[in-house]
Amino acid sequence: MDKKDFYYDLPEELIAQDPLEKRSNSRLMVLDKKSGDVTHRHFYDIKEYLHPGDCLVINNTKVIPARLLGEREGTGAKVELLLLKRKTDNVWETLVKPGKKAKIGTKLSFGNGLLKAEVIDIVEEGNRLVRFTYDGIFEEILDELGQMPLPPYITHQLQDKNRYQTVYAKYDGSAAAPTAGLHFTEELLQEIRDMGVSIAEVTLHVGLGTFRPVKVDNVLEHHMHSEFFRISREAADTINEAKQKGHRVISVGTTSTRTLESAAEEDGTLREKSGWTDIFIYPGYEFRVIDGLITNFHLPESTLVMLVSALAGREHVMAAYEEAVREKYRFFSFGDAMLIADLD
C-alpha cells in the first residue's frame, strides 16, 4: 500500500485559517460509506442523520497551552518549547526549536524566569526531556505563559483560546485539539440528547504523532507514536448497550475512533480501561466498534486520511475529497466536517 494512493491536490486558499463565528455553521459533507454518494449540508443538520438509540462518542480531552516562547540562559537566544508528554510531575517530553542548540544541560527561561527548564535527556525523534523548576502551581503558570499549539498550516493568530477547544473539554493533556468536536455547541448536543441519542465520553490525549507525515512510501512501514487513553465503566456500558440493542455507534473524530478500536475486545465489547495506544488504522482494517464517523478533512497522505479510507473505502473517500475541493470546502483543523455512515 503506497502513500501516494492517498494524495489529493489541495489549493492553499482552502486551508481554514480562522474558526467560523458560530461553531455549528460549518458545512457538512455526508458520505454514504456503502454507495459513495455525497450530500452537502451544514453541521447543524447532523441531527437529521442520527437516530434514537444511536450512541455518539466524544473525546473530552482538553488542549493545554503547550507552546512556550523563551530564551536560553546565558546567551539570551530565542527558543520555542512544545510540551508533548508529561513523564513525571516536573519532567516533560518536549519538542525544542532550534533543537541543535538544546544539548543536555542547556537551561531555558520563560516569562522572565517565572518558569525555568533544563534539558536532561535526548530521546526518540530528537525530542528533549526537560525538568521544570518554578514557584507556585505549574498549570497556573502554563496558563499564563503558554500559547495554544496551533498546527503549522494555521498562520493567523487565534483571538480566543477557547475556539481551539471543544465545548466539552474536561481533562488537560492534549498538544492538539480533537478537531471534529469543534463543530458542536452545547445547544446542539442537548438537542441530540433530547432525540434519544446517548453520548459517551472517552479520553485520548492527542499528541503530535497523530499528525506526523508519513515519510515512507510503503504505508505499512510507518510507525505511530503512542497516546494515552481512558474509557470509564459508564462510557463502556453506554456503548455496549447501544451495540447490543442493534443501534449505531458513531465516533466524533479519529481520536475517539482510535480509542474505541484500541480498547475493544475481539467481539467488539468494551470495559473500563486505560493505557497507551499506537494503533494504526488503514484500509483492510476490520472495525470492531464504530459504525459511523464524524471527522474533518485531513492532510493529503496522512494517517488520518488512511483511517477514514479504512471505514468508507479509499475510492469513495478520495472522490469525496476531490468533490470537497471543487465545492470549496474549508480544510483541516478550523475547516468543515464530514459524516461517514450507512444512510439506508
Side-chain angles (χ1 to χ4, degrees), residues 1-174:
M1 193 180 309
D2 200 301
K3 74 172 182 179
K4 70 175 183 289
D5 294 334
F6 302 91
Y7 177 80
Y8 67 94
D9 190 34
L10 179 68
E12 192 173 330
E13 63 267 21
L14 296 185
I15 300 173
Q17 292 295 323
D18 303 288
L20 294 182
E21 187 174 340
K22 185 166 184 185
R23 292 172 182 262
S24 61
N25 280 359
S26 49
R27 295 169 74 187
L28 176 69
M29 175 182 278
V30 182
L31 173 63
D32 186 319
K33 71 177 187 179
K34 282 187 179 173
S35 68
D37 291 343
V38 160
T39 309
H40 304 290
R41 305 296 299 271
H42 284 90
F43 196 81
Y44 49 70
D45 298 318
I46 194 81
K47 297 175 294 183
E48 297 180 27
Y49 298 93
L50 301 175
H51 312 312
D54 283 348
C55 179
L56 203 62
V57 183
I58 59 178
N59 180 8
N60 61 18
T61 188
K62 192 172 185 179
V63 186
I64 59 174
R67 184 170 175 249
L68 289 163
L69 302 177
E71 57 189 37
R72 293 207 317 274
E73 289 189 357
T75 68
K78 300 297 182 188
V79 67
E80 178 179 333
L81 194 75
L82 191 64
L83 304 179
L84 298 179
K85 194 181 296 181
R86 195 172 207 157
K87 295 295 192 177
T88 65
D89 277 354
N90 296 322
V91 175
W92 284 76
E93 182 176 341
T94 67
L95 183 65
V96 182
K97 295 180 182 177
K100 289 181 181 178
K101 302 286 188 180
K103 297 180 170 61
I104 294 174
T106 300
K107 294 184 178 180
L108 312 171
S109 177
F110 306 93
N112 294 319
L114 190 60
L115 182 64
K116 294 189 175 186
E118 180 179 355
V119 178
I120 60 173
D121 201 2
I122 300 174
V123 293
E124 189 181 6
E125 300 281 344
N127 294 342
R128 267 59 176 174
L129 287 188
V130 305
R131 180 182 289 112
F132 287 105
T133 54
Y134 50 89
D135 290 323
I137 299 171
F138 180 78
E139 286 74 15
E140 291 180 358
I141 296 170
L142 187 62
D143 197 49
E144 180 182 340
L145 300 181
Q147 300 177 10
M148 280 300 187
L150 295 179
Y153 49 75
I154 295 177
T155 58
H156 291 191
Q157 189 76 28
L158 182 63
Q159 300 303 313
D160 179 1
K161 275 185 181 182
N162 289 326
R163 291 310 307 273
Y164 194 58
Q165 205 80 269
T166 63
V167 298
Y168 46 77
K170 284 183 183 174
Y171 301 112
D172 287 342
S174 277

Side-chain angles (χ1 to χ4, degrees), residues 95-301:
L95 183 65
V96 182
K97 295 180 182 177
K100 289 181 181 178
K101 302 286 188 180
K103 297 180 170 61
I104 294 174
T106 300
K107 294 184 178 180
L108 312 171
S109 177
F110 306 93
N112 294 319
L114 190 60
L115 182 64
K116 294 189 175 186
E118 180 179 355
V119 178
I120 60 173
D121 201 2
I122 300 174
V123 293
E124 189 181 6
E125 300 281 344
N127 294 342
R128 267 59 176 174
L129 287 188
V130 305
R131 180 182 289 112
F132 287 105
T133 54
Y134 50 89
D135 290 323
I137 299 171
F138 180 78
E139 286 74 15
E140 291 180 358
I141 296 170
L142 187 62
D143 197 49
E144 180 182 340
L145 300 181
Q147 300 177 10
M148 280 300 187
L150 295 179
Y153 49 75
I154 295 177
T155 58
H156 291 191
Q157 189 76 28
L158 182 63
Q159 300 303 313
D160 179 1
K161 275 185 181 182
N162 289 326
R163 291 310 307 273
Y164 194 58
Q165 205 80 269
T166 63
V167 298
Y168 46 77
K170 284 183 183 174
Y171 301 112
D172 287 342
S174 277
T179 54
L182 296 179
H183 306 282
F184 285 97
T185 63
E186 290 172 351
E187 295 79 11
L188 181 56
L189 285 168
Q190 189 56 52
E191 290 171 14
I192 289 169
R193 287 188 186 93
D194 292 344
M195 291 171 53
V197 174
S198 60
I199 297 179
E201 297 187 18
V202 299
T203 305
L204 181 136
H205 292 319
V206 188
L208 294 187
T210 303
F211 306 103
R212 284 189 188 277
V214 178
K215 295 179 179 177
V216 291
D217 290 334
N218 182 355
V219 168
L220 306 186
E221 295 174 2
H222 178 69
H223 170 64
M224 293 285 283
H225 288 246
S226 61
E227 296 164 312
F228 180 80
F229 74 90
R230 182 185 298 112
I231 299 176
S232 67
R233 179 179 298 178
E234 179 185 7
D237 290 346
T238 300
I239 297 163
N240 289 339
E241 182 180 358
K243 289 196 75 68
Q244 287 162 6
K245 292 182 175 179
H247 298 299
R248 298 179 304 172
V249 173
I250 297 173
S251 67
V252 177
T254 57
T255 61
S256 299
T257 301
R258 295 175 67 245
T259 301
L260 297 179
E261 296 297 324
S262 297
E265 305 290 337
E266 288 292 332
D267 62 359
T269 58
L270 295 163
R271 56 185 174 84
E272 182 177 2
K273 193 172 186 180
S274 64
W276 296 85
T277 178
D278 60 358
I279 190 172
F280 180 17
I281 297 174
Y282 49 83
Y285 179 84
E286 295 288 333
F287 287 88
R288 298 177 184 177
V289 182
I290 76 160
D291 304 292
L293 170 65
I294 297 168
T295 188
N296 280 18
F297 292 91
H298 304 293
L299 276 74
E301 298 183 338

